[in-house]
Short mmCIF file of all heavy atoms in Angstrom, two decimals:
data_model
loop_
_atom_site.label_atom_id
_atom_site.label_comp_id
_atom_site.label_asym_id
_atom_site.label_seq_id
_atom_site.Cartn_x
_atom_site.Cartn_y
_atom_site.Cartn_z
N MET N 215 132.57 85.43 107.06
CA MET N 215 131.29 85.36 106.40
C MET N 215 130.67 86.76 106.39
O MET N 215 130.64 87.45 107.40
CB MET N 215 130.38 84.38 107.13
CG MET N 215 128.99 84.29 106.56
SD MET N 215 128.02 83.06 107.44
CE MET N 215 127.10 82.46 106.10
N SER N 216 130.17 87.18 105.23
CA SER N 216 129.60 88.51 105.14
C SER N 216 128.11 88.50 105.47
O SER N 216 127.44 87.49 105.37
CB SER N 216 129.81 89.09 103.74
OG SER N 216 129.07 88.37 102.79
N GLN N 217 127.64 89.66 105.88
CA GLN N 217 126.23 89.84 106.16
C GLN N 217 125.61 90.65 105.04
O GLN N 217 126.23 91.58 104.53
CB GLN N 217 126.02 90.61 107.46
CG GLN N 217 126.40 89.87 108.69
CD GLN N 217 126.11 90.73 109.92
OE1 GLN N 217 126.44 91.89 109.96
NE2 GLN N 217 125.48 90.12 110.91
N ARG N 218 124.41 90.29 104.65
CA ARG N 218 123.67 91.06 103.66
C ARG N 218 122.57 91.81 104.39
O ARG N 218 121.77 91.21 105.10
CB ARG N 218 123.07 90.16 102.59
CG ARG N 218 122.24 90.97 101.57
CD ARG N 218 121.66 90.09 100.52
NE ARG N 218 122.76 89.70 99.63
CZ ARG N 218 122.65 88.82 98.66
NH1 ARG N 218 121.50 88.21 98.46
NH2 ARG N 218 123.65 88.54 97.88
N ILE N 219 122.53 93.10 104.18
CA ILE N 219 121.52 93.94 104.79
C ILE N 219 120.70 94.56 103.68
O ILE N 219 121.25 95.13 102.73
CB ILE N 219 122.15 95.02 105.67
CG1 ILE N 219 122.92 94.37 106.81
CG2 ILE N 219 121.09 96.00 106.18
CD1 ILE N 219 123.70 95.30 107.68
N VAL N 220 119.38 94.44 103.78
CA VAL N 220 118.47 95.00 102.79
C VAL N 220 117.85 96.27 103.38
O VAL N 220 117.34 96.26 104.50
CB VAL N 220 117.36 93.99 102.43
CG1 VAL N 220 116.37 94.60 101.46
CG2 VAL N 220 117.97 92.72 101.85
N ILE N 221 117.93 97.34 102.61
CA ILE N 221 117.34 98.62 103.02
C ILE N 221 116.27 98.97 102.01
O ILE N 221 116.52 99.00 100.80
CB ILE N 221 118.40 99.73 103.09
CG1 ILE N 221 119.49 99.37 104.11
CG2 ILE N 221 117.74 101.06 103.43
CD1 ILE N 221 120.62 100.35 104.19
N ALA N 222 115.06 99.21 102.50
CA ALA N 222 113.93 99.56 101.63
C ALA N 222 113.43 100.94 101.98
O ALA N 222 113.39 101.32 103.14
CB ALA N 222 112.81 98.53 101.79
N GLY N 223 113.05 101.66 100.97
CA GLY N 223 112.49 102.99 101.19
C GLY N 223 112.66 103.80 99.93
O GLY N 223 113.58 103.58 99.16
N GLY N 224 111.76 104.68 99.71
CA GLY N 224 111.90 105.48 98.51
C GLY N 224 110.73 106.39 98.29
O GLY N 224 109.95 106.67 99.19
N GLY N 225 110.62 106.81 97.07
CA GLY N 225 109.57 107.73 96.69
C GLY N 225 110.06 109.15 96.62
O GLY N 225 109.77 109.88 95.69
N THR N 226 110.84 109.56 97.62
CA THR N 226 111.37 110.93 97.67
C THR N 226 112.80 110.90 98.18
O THR N 226 113.25 109.94 98.79
CB THR N 226 110.54 111.83 98.63
OG1 THR N 226 110.76 111.38 99.97
CG2 THR N 226 109.07 111.80 98.31
N GLY N 227 113.50 112.01 97.95
CA GLY N 227 114.85 112.14 98.47
C GLY N 227 114.88 112.14 99.98
O GLY N 227 115.88 111.77 100.60
N GLY N 228 113.76 112.50 100.61
CA GLY N 228 113.68 112.49 102.06
C GLY N 228 113.76 111.11 102.66
O GLY N 228 114.03 110.95 103.84
N HIS N 229 113.54 110.10 101.84
CA HIS N 229 113.70 108.72 102.28
C HIS N 229 114.98 108.10 101.73
O HIS N 229 115.63 107.31 102.40
CB HIS N 229 112.51 107.86 101.82
CG HIS N 229 111.23 108.22 102.47
ND1 HIS N 229 110.14 108.66 101.77
CD2 HIS N 229 110.86 108.23 103.76
CE1 HIS N 229 109.15 108.91 102.60
NE2 HIS N 229 109.57 108.66 103.82
N VAL N 230 115.32 108.45 100.51
CA VAL N 230 116.46 107.81 99.84
C VAL N 230 117.79 108.26 100.43
O VAL N 230 118.66 107.43 100.71
CB VAL N 230 116.41 108.08 98.33
CG1 VAL N 230 117.65 107.53 97.64
CG2 VAL N 230 115.15 107.45 97.72
N TYR N 231 117.97 109.55 100.62
CA TYR N 231 119.28 110.03 101.10
C TYR N 231 119.59 109.56 102.53
O TYR N 231 120.74 109.17 102.80
CB TYR N 231 119.39 111.54 100.95
CG TYR N 231 119.44 111.93 99.47
CD1 TYR N 231 118.47 112.76 98.93
CD2 TYR N 231 120.42 111.43 98.63
CE1 TYR N 231 118.50 113.09 97.57
CE2 TYR N 231 120.45 111.75 97.28
CZ TYR N 231 119.49 112.58 96.76
OH TYR N 231 119.53 112.90 95.42
N PRO N 232 118.62 109.52 103.44
CA PRO N 232 118.93 108.91 104.75
C PRO N 232 119.26 107.42 104.63
O PRO N 232 120.13 106.92 105.35
CB PRO N 232 117.65 109.13 105.56
CG PRO N 232 117.04 110.34 104.95
CD PRO N 232 117.34 110.22 103.48
N ALA N 233 118.60 106.72 103.71
CA ALA N 233 118.91 105.29 103.51
C ALA N 233 120.34 105.12 103.02
O ALA N 233 121.06 104.22 103.48
CB ALA N 233 117.92 104.67 102.52
N LEU N 234 120.77 105.98 102.11
CA LEU N 234 122.16 105.94 101.65
C LEU N 234 123.13 106.20 102.79
O LEU N 234 124.16 105.53 102.90
CB LEU N 234 122.38 106.98 100.55
CG LEU N 234 121.93 106.59 99.14
CD1 LEU N 234 121.93 107.80 98.23
CD2 LEU N 234 122.82 105.50 98.60
N ALA N 235 122.80 107.15 103.65
CA ALA N 235 123.67 107.46 104.79
C ALA N 235 123.76 106.29 105.76
O ALA N 235 124.84 105.99 106.29
CB ALA N 235 123.16 108.71 105.51
N ILE N 236 122.65 105.61 105.97
CA ILE N 236 122.66 104.43 106.85
C ILE N 236 123.54 103.34 106.25
O ILE N 236 124.34 102.72 106.94
CB ILE N 236 121.22 103.93 107.10
CG1 ILE N 236 120.48 104.93 107.98
CG2 ILE N 236 121.23 102.54 107.72
CD1 ILE N 236 118.99 104.69 108.07
N GLY N 237 123.39 103.10 104.95
CA GLY N 237 124.22 102.10 104.29
C GLY N 237 125.70 102.43 104.40
O GLY N 237 126.53 101.56 104.68
N GLU N 238 126.03 103.69 104.21
CA GLU N 238 127.41 104.13 104.32
C GLU N 238 127.95 103.93 105.74
O GLU N 238 129.07 103.44 105.93
CB GLU N 238 127.48 105.60 103.94
CG GLU N 238 128.86 106.12 103.64
CD GLU N 238 128.81 107.55 103.13
OE1 GLU N 238 128.11 107.80 102.14
OE2 GLU N 238 129.47 108.40 103.75
N ALA N 239 127.15 104.27 106.73
CA ALA N 239 127.58 104.10 108.13
C ALA N 239 127.78 102.62 108.47
O ALA N 239 128.73 102.27 109.17
CB ALA N 239 126.55 104.72 109.07
N LEU N 240 126.92 101.76 107.95
CA LEU N 240 127.06 100.33 108.21
C LEU N 240 128.34 99.79 107.58
O LEU N 240 129.02 98.96 108.18
CB LEU N 240 125.84 99.57 107.69
CG LEU N 240 124.55 99.78 108.47
CD1 LEU N 240 123.36 99.20 107.72
CD2 LEU N 240 124.66 99.17 109.85
N ARG N 241 128.66 100.26 106.39
CA ARG N 241 129.90 99.82 105.74
C ARG N 241 131.13 100.25 106.52
O ARG N 241 132.15 99.56 106.50
CB ARG N 241 129.98 100.37 104.32
CG ARG N 241 129.07 99.66 103.36
CD ARG N 241 129.36 100.13 101.93
NE ARG N 241 128.38 99.58 101.04
CZ ARG N 241 127.41 100.27 100.45
NH1 ARG N 241 127.29 101.57 100.67
NH2 ARG N 241 126.56 99.69 99.65
N GLU N 242 131.04 101.40 107.18
CA GLU N 242 132.18 101.86 107.99
C GLU N 242 132.38 100.99 109.22
O GLU N 242 133.49 100.90 109.74
CB GLU N 242 131.97 103.31 108.40
CG GLU N 242 132.10 104.29 107.26
CD GLU N 242 131.82 105.72 107.66
OE1 GLU N 242 131.66 106.01 108.86
OE2 GLU N 242 131.75 106.57 106.75
N LEU N 243 131.32 100.34 109.68
CA LEU N 243 131.42 99.46 110.84
C LEU N 243 132.12 98.15 110.52
O LEU N 243 132.81 97.58 111.37
CB LEU N 243 130.03 99.15 111.40
CG LEU N 243 129.29 100.31 112.03
CD1 LEU N 243 127.87 99.88 112.40
CD2 LEU N 243 130.03 100.83 113.25
N SER N 244 131.94 97.66 109.30
CA SER N 244 132.52 96.37 108.94
C SER N 244 132.69 96.27 107.44
O SER N 244 131.82 96.69 106.68
CB SER N 244 131.61 95.23 109.43
OG SER N 244 132.07 93.99 108.95
N SER N 245 133.78 95.68 107.02
CA SER N 245 134.00 95.45 105.59
C SER N 245 133.29 94.20 105.10
O SER N 245 133.27 93.91 103.91
CB SER N 245 135.50 95.34 105.31
OG SER N 245 136.04 94.23 106.03
N ASN N 246 132.69 93.45 106.02
CA ASN N 246 132.00 92.21 105.66
C ASN N 246 130.49 92.41 105.53
O ASN N 246 129.73 91.47 105.73
CB ASN N 246 132.28 91.12 106.69
CG ASN N 246 133.72 90.68 106.66
OD1 ASN N 246 134.34 90.66 105.60
ND2 ASN N 246 134.26 90.33 107.79
N ILE N 247 130.06 93.62 105.21
CA ILE N 247 128.64 93.90 105.07
C ILE N 247 128.34 94.23 103.62
O ILE N 247 129.01 95.04 103.00
CB ILE N 247 128.22 95.09 105.98
CG1 ILE N 247 128.33 94.69 107.45
CG2 ILE N 247 126.81 95.54 105.66
CD1 ILE N 247 128.01 95.80 108.42
N GLU N 248 127.34 93.56 103.10
CA GLU N 248 126.84 93.84 101.75
C GLU N 248 125.49 94.54 101.90
O GLU N 248 124.59 94.03 102.55
CB GLU N 248 126.67 92.55 100.96
CG GLU N 248 126.08 92.77 99.58
CD GLU N 248 125.74 91.47 98.86
OE1 GLU N 248 125.94 90.38 99.43
OE2 GLU N 248 125.26 91.56 97.73
N ILE N 249 125.36 95.71 101.30
CA ILE N 249 124.13 96.48 101.38
C ILE N 249 123.39 96.33 100.06
O ILE N 249 123.97 96.52 98.98
CB ILE N 249 124.40 97.97 101.64
CG1 ILE N 249 125.27 98.18 102.87
CG2 ILE N 249 123.08 98.75 101.72
CD1 ILE N 249 124.63 97.80 104.18
N VAL N 250 122.11 95.98 100.14
CA VAL N 250 121.24 95.88 98.97
C VAL N 250 120.05 96.78 99.22
O VAL N 250 119.40 96.69 100.27
CB VAL N 250 120.76 94.42 98.74
CG1 VAL N 250 119.83 94.35 97.54
CG2 VAL N 250 121.94 93.49 98.57
N PHE N 251 119.77 97.65 98.27
CA PHE N 251 118.62 98.53 98.36
C PHE N 251 117.50 97.98 97.49
O PHE N 251 117.76 97.45 96.40
CB PHE N 251 118.97 99.94 97.88
CG PHE N 251 119.94 100.65 98.78
CD1 PHE N 251 121.31 100.53 98.61
CD2 PHE N 251 119.47 101.45 99.82
CE1 PHE N 251 122.20 101.19 99.44
CE2 PHE N 251 120.36 102.12 100.66
CZ PHE N 251 121.72 101.97 100.47
N VAL N 252 116.27 98.08 97.97
CA VAL N 252 115.11 97.68 97.17
C VAL N 252 114.15 98.85 97.07
O VAL N 252 114.04 99.67 97.98
CB VAL N 252 114.39 96.43 97.75
CG1 VAL N 252 115.30 95.22 97.74
CG2 VAL N 252 113.85 96.69 99.14
N GLY N 253 113.46 98.91 95.95
CA GLY N 253 112.48 99.96 95.72
C GLY N 253 111.79 99.74 94.40
O GLY N 253 112.01 98.73 93.72
N THR N 254 110.98 100.69 94.01
CA THR N 254 110.22 100.54 92.77
C THR N 254 110.98 101.15 91.60
O THR N 254 111.86 101.99 91.77
CB THR N 254 108.85 101.23 92.87
OG1 THR N 254 109.04 102.63 93.01
CG2 THR N 254 108.05 100.69 94.05
N SER N 255 110.60 100.73 90.41
CA SER N 255 111.24 101.26 89.21
C SER N 255 110.77 102.67 88.91
O SER N 255 111.46 103.43 88.23
CB SER N 255 110.95 100.35 88.01
OG SER N 255 109.55 100.32 87.75
N SER N 256 109.61 103.05 89.42
CA SER N 256 109.06 104.37 89.10
C SER N 256 109.38 105.43 90.16
O SER N 256 109.15 106.61 89.94
CB SER N 256 107.55 104.28 88.94
OG SER N 256 106.95 103.84 90.16
N GLY N 257 109.92 105.02 91.28
CA GLY N 257 110.22 105.98 92.35
C GLY N 257 111.54 106.68 92.15
O GLY N 257 112.39 106.26 91.33
N PHE N 258 111.75 107.73 92.90
CA PHE N 258 112.99 108.50 92.87
C PHE N 258 114.20 107.60 93.16
O PHE N 258 115.29 107.81 92.63
CB PHE N 258 112.89 109.62 93.91
CG PHE N 258 114.15 110.41 94.08
CD1 PHE N 258 114.52 111.37 93.15
CD2 PHE N 258 114.98 110.20 95.17
CE1 PHE N 258 115.68 112.11 93.30
CE2 PHE N 258 116.14 110.93 95.33
CZ PHE N 258 116.49 111.88 94.38
N GLU N 259 113.97 106.58 93.99
CA GLU N 259 115.07 105.72 94.41
C GLU N 259 115.74 104.99 93.26
O GLU N 259 116.94 104.72 93.29
CB GLU N 259 114.59 104.72 95.47
CG GLU N 259 113.59 103.70 94.98
CD GLU N 259 112.15 104.17 95.05
OE1 GLU N 259 111.88 105.36 95.19
OE2 GLU N 259 111.27 103.30 94.95
N SER N 260 114.98 104.65 92.22
CA SER N 260 115.52 103.88 91.11
C SER N 260 116.73 104.58 90.49
O SER N 260 117.80 104.00 90.35
CB SER N 260 114.44 103.65 90.06
OG SER N 260 114.95 102.95 88.96
N LYS N 261 116.57 105.82 90.14
CA LYS N 261 117.66 106.57 89.52
C LYS N 261 118.72 106.98 90.55
O LYS N 261 119.92 106.84 90.29
CB LYS N 261 117.12 107.80 88.80
CG LYS N 261 118.20 108.62 88.10
CD LYS N 261 117.61 109.72 87.26
CE LYS N 261 118.61 110.59 86.55
NZ LYS N 261 120.00 110.42 86.72
N ALA N 262 118.30 107.47 91.68
CA ALA N 262 119.24 107.99 92.68
C ALA N 262 120.20 106.90 93.17
O ALA N 262 121.40 107.14 93.30
CB ALA N 262 118.48 108.60 93.85
N LEU N 263 119.68 105.72 93.46
CA LEU N 263 120.53 104.66 93.99
C LEU N 263 121.47 104.11 92.92
O LEU N 263 122.63 103.82 93.19
CB LEU N 263 119.68 103.55 94.61
CG LEU N 263 118.96 103.98 95.89
CD1 LEU N 263 117.92 102.95 96.29
CD2 LEU N 263 119.94 104.23 97.01
N ARG N 264 120.96 103.99 91.71
CA ARG N 264 121.85 103.53 90.62
C ARG N 264 122.92 104.56 90.33
O ARG N 264 124.08 104.21 90.10
CB ARG N 264 121.02 103.23 89.39
CG ARG N 264 120.22 101.95 89.53
CD ARG N 264 119.57 101.56 88.21
NE ARG N 264 118.93 100.26 88.36
CZ ARG N 264 117.63 100.06 88.28
NH1 ARG N 264 116.81 101.07 88.03
NH2 ARG N 264 117.13 98.85 88.41
N ASP N 265 122.55 105.85 90.33
CA ASP N 265 123.54 106.91 90.11
C ASP N 265 124.61 106.90 91.20
O ASP N 265 125.76 107.26 90.95
CB ASP N 265 122.87 108.28 90.07
CG ASP N 265 122.09 108.53 88.78
OD1 ASP N 265 122.19 107.70 87.84
OD2 ASP N 265 121.37 109.53 88.73
N ALA N 266 124.24 106.49 92.41
CA ALA N 266 125.19 106.41 93.52
C ALA N 266 126.04 105.14 93.46
O ALA N 266 126.91 104.94 94.29
CB ALA N 266 124.44 106.47 94.85
N GLY N 267 125.75 104.27 92.48
CA GLY N 267 126.53 103.05 92.33
C GLY N 267 126.14 101.95 93.29
O GLY N 267 126.91 101.01 93.52
N GLU N 268 124.95 102.04 93.85
CA GLU N 268 124.49 101.04 94.82
C GLU N 268 123.81 99.87 94.13
O GLU N 268 123.24 100.01 93.05
CB GLU N 268 123.52 101.69 95.80
CG GLU N 268 124.13 102.75 96.68
CD GLU N 268 125.15 102.21 97.66
OE1 GLU N 268 125.23 100.99 97.89
OE2 GLU N 268 125.88 103.04 98.24
N GLN N 269 123.87 98.73 94.80
CA GLN N 269 123.14 97.55 94.32
C GLN N 269 121.66 97.80 94.58
O GLN N 269 121.25 98.07 95.71
CB GLN N 269 123.61 96.30 95.05
CG GLN N 269 122.98 95.04 94.54
CD GLN N 269 123.53 93.81 95.25
OE1 GLN N 269 124.44 93.87 96.04
NE2 GLN N 269 122.94 92.68 94.94
N PHE N 270 120.85 97.75 93.53
CA PHE N 270 119.44 98.09 93.61
C PHE N 270 118.60 96.99 92.97
O PHE N 270 118.86 96.58 91.85
CB PHE N 270 119.17 99.42 92.91
CG PHE N 270 117.72 99.84 92.91
CD1 PHE N 270 117.12 100.30 94.05
CD2 PHE N 270 116.98 99.75 91.74
CE1 PHE N 270 115.78 100.68 94.05
CE2 PHE N 270 115.64 100.12 91.73
CZ PHE N 270 115.05 100.59 92.88
N ILE N 271 117.60 96.52 93.70
CA ILE N 271 116.68 95.50 93.19
C ILE N 271 115.29 96.12 93.13
O ILE N 271 114.81 96.67 94.11
CB ILE N 271 116.67 94.25 94.08
CG1 ILE N 271 118.06 93.63 94.11
CG2 ILE N 271 115.62 93.25 93.61
CD1 ILE N 271 118.23 92.50 95.11
N GLU N 272 114.68 96.02 91.94
CA GLU N 272 113.32 96.56 91.78
C GLU N 272 112.29 95.58 92.31
O GLU N 272 112.39 94.37 92.09
CB GLU N 272 113.03 96.81 90.30
CG GLU N 272 113.81 97.95 89.72
CD GLU N 272 113.50 98.18 88.26
OE1 GLU N 272 112.55 97.57 87.71
OE2 GLU N 272 114.23 98.98 87.65
N ILE N 273 111.31 96.12 93.02
CA ILE N 273 110.18 95.32 93.50
C ILE N 273 108.89 96.01 93.09
O ILE N 273 108.88 97.20 92.80
CB ILE N 273 110.22 95.12 95.03
CG1 ILE N 273 110.15 96.48 95.76
CG2 ILE N 273 111.44 94.34 95.47
CD1 ILE N 273 109.93 96.37 97.25
N SER N 274 107.81 95.26 93.08
CA SER N 274 106.49 95.84 92.85
C SER N 274 105.92 96.26 94.19
O SER N 274 105.85 95.45 95.12
CB SER N 274 105.56 94.81 92.20
OG SER N 274 106.02 94.47 90.93
N ALA N 275 105.55 97.51 94.30
CA ALA N 275 105.00 98.02 95.55
C ALA N 275 104.17 99.26 95.24
O ALA N 275 104.32 99.88 94.19
CB ALA N 275 106.12 98.37 96.53
N GLY N 276 103.31 99.59 96.15
CA GLY N 276 102.48 100.77 95.98
C GLY N 276 102.00 101.26 97.32
O GLY N 276 102.13 100.57 98.34
N GLY N 277 101.43 102.43 97.30
CA GLY N 277 100.92 103.02 98.53
C GLY N 277 99.62 102.36 98.97
O GLY N 277 98.95 101.68 98.20
N LEU N 278 99.28 102.57 100.21
CA LEU N 278 98.03 102.06 100.74
C LEU N 278 96.89 102.98 100.34
O LEU N 278 97.05 104.20 100.32
CB LEU N 278 98.09 101.96 102.27
CG LEU N 278 99.13 101.00 102.83
CD1 LEU N 278 99.18 101.11 104.35
CD2 LEU N 278 98.81 99.58 102.42
N VAL N 279 95.77 102.40 100.03
CA VAL N 279 94.60 103.18 99.65
C VAL N 279 93.71 103.36 100.87
O VAL N 279 93.46 102.48 101.62
CB VAL N 279 93.81 102.48 98.52
CG1 VAL N 279 92.58 103.28 98.16
CG2 VAL N 279 94.71 102.29 97.32
#
């Protein structure tokens, strides 16, 4: 049985690239892990994660005021 792990974070490369590295490290631990990234359509993560070939789900989110 596989595990699904959701990783959220974005806005800048300072958040996205470490998230990608974590996903990659988790995949090296087990072949039964599915990584799903979530983020906004307007953030840096939208293009970067898709360009990396990652499964990406758009959510509505915003910063705190």
Side-chain angles (χ1 to χ4, degrees):
M215 177 177 215
S216 67
Q217 291 182 313
R218 178 179 286 173
I219 297 174
V220 177
I221 300 176
T226 69
H229 293 119
V230 175
Y231 292 120
L234 279 168
I236 290 168
E238 196 174 304
L240 289 169
R241 285 189 187 108
E242 289 177 8
L243 293 174
S244 173
S245 61
N246 293 326
I247 293 177
E248 177 187 1
I249 306 293
V250 178
F251 292 88
V252 297
T254 66
S255 62
S256 61
F258 175 77
E259 66 273 16
S260 178
K261 181 173 179 357
L263 291 168
R264 287 189 174 115
D265 287 352
E268 295 293 345
Q269 184 177 354
F270 178 74
I271 299 172
E272 290 180 9
I273 60 169
S274 295
L278 297 174
V279 179

